Amino acid sequence: PTPTATIVRRYDSIPVVGGPYDRPAAASPDTNLHVRGYTLTLDYLGLINYSGDTDPHAPQVAGIFSPPRLPPFRVVYQVRDWDWACNPPDGCAGAPITWPYPVTLLEMATAPGEELAIPSRGPDILDGVYRAMVLYAAPTRLTIAYTRNDTPANGYLVHLEDLAVAPELVSLYEQLDAAGRGRLPGLRNGEVVGTAIADSVKLAIRDTGMFMDPRSCKDWWTDY
C-alpha cells in the first residue's frame, strides 16, 4: 500500500497591540466557548434577511471552505449569557441569549476530514497579509479576532467548535501564551487551520462583544 504523506503545517506569530487579556484565555467565557456553553434551539435552517446597516468588510463564512460555498445548515443553538456578578470575579453561566437574535451558534455540514480555514476578510491587520489573530486554540476549538488586540471586546471575533485544529497551530499558540502573549499566531485568508472531525463544524460570530446571528445573509454571506 502507498503510505499516506504527513502534512506538517507552519504558522507565523505576529505582535499584539496593547496588553494581554485580563484573565487566562482557557478559563475565560469570552475566549473559550466551552466555558460559556450553549443550548440547542429550533429555528430556520437557512439564511436570514435582516434589515439595517451592512459592513462591506465583515468576515465571510463561506471562506472557511475551499472553494467557498454555502453549506447546508444542520442545527442552530443559543450561546449562554455570562453573569459577572455571580460568584465574582469569575462569574457564572446565565440563561441562553435570545435577544436581539434568536440564534447565536450555527452547525454547518462538512465532509469528514475536510480542510477548514477562517472566515475570509478583505482588510488586513498586518503587512497586507494577515487577516486575523488567534486568541485561543485547543485541539477541538479555535477563537480568532480580526484585530491585533488581545481582547474579545474589539471588532469581529469568531469561535470555531468541533474541528480538529492543526496541532502545529495549537503548539505555537501554547508557546506564545506561556511566553506572555506579546505575540500570537496570525492567520491568512485560505490558510488551513484544521480539519472537520466528522460531518459538521460549529461557528459563532461576535461584533464588539455581542453575539450575532451567523445566518445573517447581509453580513456573513453576501455572495449568497
Side-chain angles (χ1 to χ4, degrees), residues 24-96:
S28 170
D30 283 329
T31 44
N32 184 352
L33 196 62
H34 178 71
V35 174
R36 182 181 290 265
Y38 48 86
T39 61
L40 180 70
T41 190
L42 298 176
D43 212 295
Y44 180 62
L45 297 177
L47 296 179
I48 299 291
N49 289 317
Y50 286 107
S51 60
D53 296 335
T54 299
D55 178 5
H57 302 302
Q60 297 301 297
V61 178
I64 289 177
F65 309 101
S66 181
R69 69 174 187 268
L70 174 65
F73 296 170
R74 300 280 297 276
V75 188
V76 288
Y77 303 84
Q78 293 170 334
V79 175
R80 290 189 176 277
D81 200 359
W82 195 259
D83 183 358
W84 292 104
C86 168
N87 186 35
D90 297 330
C92 53

Side-chain angles (χ1 to χ4, degrees), residues 15-220:
V16 172
V17 175
Y21 191 44
D22 62 359
R23 62 189 66 241
S28 170
D30 283 329
T31 44
N32 184 352
L33 196 62
H34 178 71
V35 174
R36 182 181 290 265
Y38 48 86
T39 61
L40 180 70
T41 190
L42 298 176
D43 212 295
Y44 180 62
L45 297 177
L47 296 179
I48 299 291
N49 289 317
Y50 286 107
S51 60
D53 296 335
T54 299
D55 178 5
H57 302 302
Q60 297 301 297
V61 178
I64 289 177
F65 309 101
S66 181
R69 69 174 187 268
L70 174 65
F73 296 170
R74 300 280 297 276
V75 188
V76 288
Y77 303 84
Q78 293 170 334
V79 175
R80 290 189 176 277
D81 200 359
W82 195 259
D83 183 358
W84 292 104
C86 168
N87 186 35
D90 297 330
C92 53
I97 298 171
T98 59
W99 187 90
Y101 302 106
V103 169
T104 45
L105 179 66
L106 173 64
E107 182 175 332
M108 301 174 290
T110 62
E114 178 179 3
E115 293 181 341
L116 303 172
I118 63 171
S120 58
R121 190 167 186 247
D124 70 284
I125 60 173
L126 185 68
D127 296 341
V129 172
Y130 301 100
R131 263 56 181 185
M133 184 177 74
V134 175
L135 296 189
Y136 178 63
T140 61
R141 54 182 49 91
L142 184 68
T143 301
I144 61 170
Y146 288 84
T147 72
R148 286 195 290 133
N149 303 122
D150 188 7
T151 172
N154 297 338
Y156 296 111
L157 183 123
V158 167
H159 298 277
L160 292 171
E161 294 281 305
D162 295 344
L163 74 162
V165 181
E168 299 88 350
L169 183 55
V170 175
S171 177
L172 177 61
Y173 166 77
E174 290 176 343
Q175 293 173 27
L176 298 172
D177 181 61
R181 299 175 73 89
R183 299 178 71 90
L184 287 170
L187 297 172
R188 304 169 173 86
N189 284 342
E191 186 173 21
V192 174
V193 296
T195 57
I197 295 175
D199 59 356
S200 66
V201 64
K202 297 184 180 74
L203 173 139
I205 299 180
R206 303 175 74 177
D207 184 1
T208 321
M210 178 182 288
F211 281 92
M212 311 297 286
D213 191 333
R215 304 169 299 168
S216 176
C217 186
K218 73 177 182 64
D219 296 308
W220 329 117

Side-chain angles (χ1 to χ4, degrees), residues 8-22:
V8 178
R9 303 191 186 279
R10 180 183 177 276
Y11 298 91
D12 299 330
S13 68
I14 61 175
V16 172
V17 175
Y21 191 44
D22 62 359

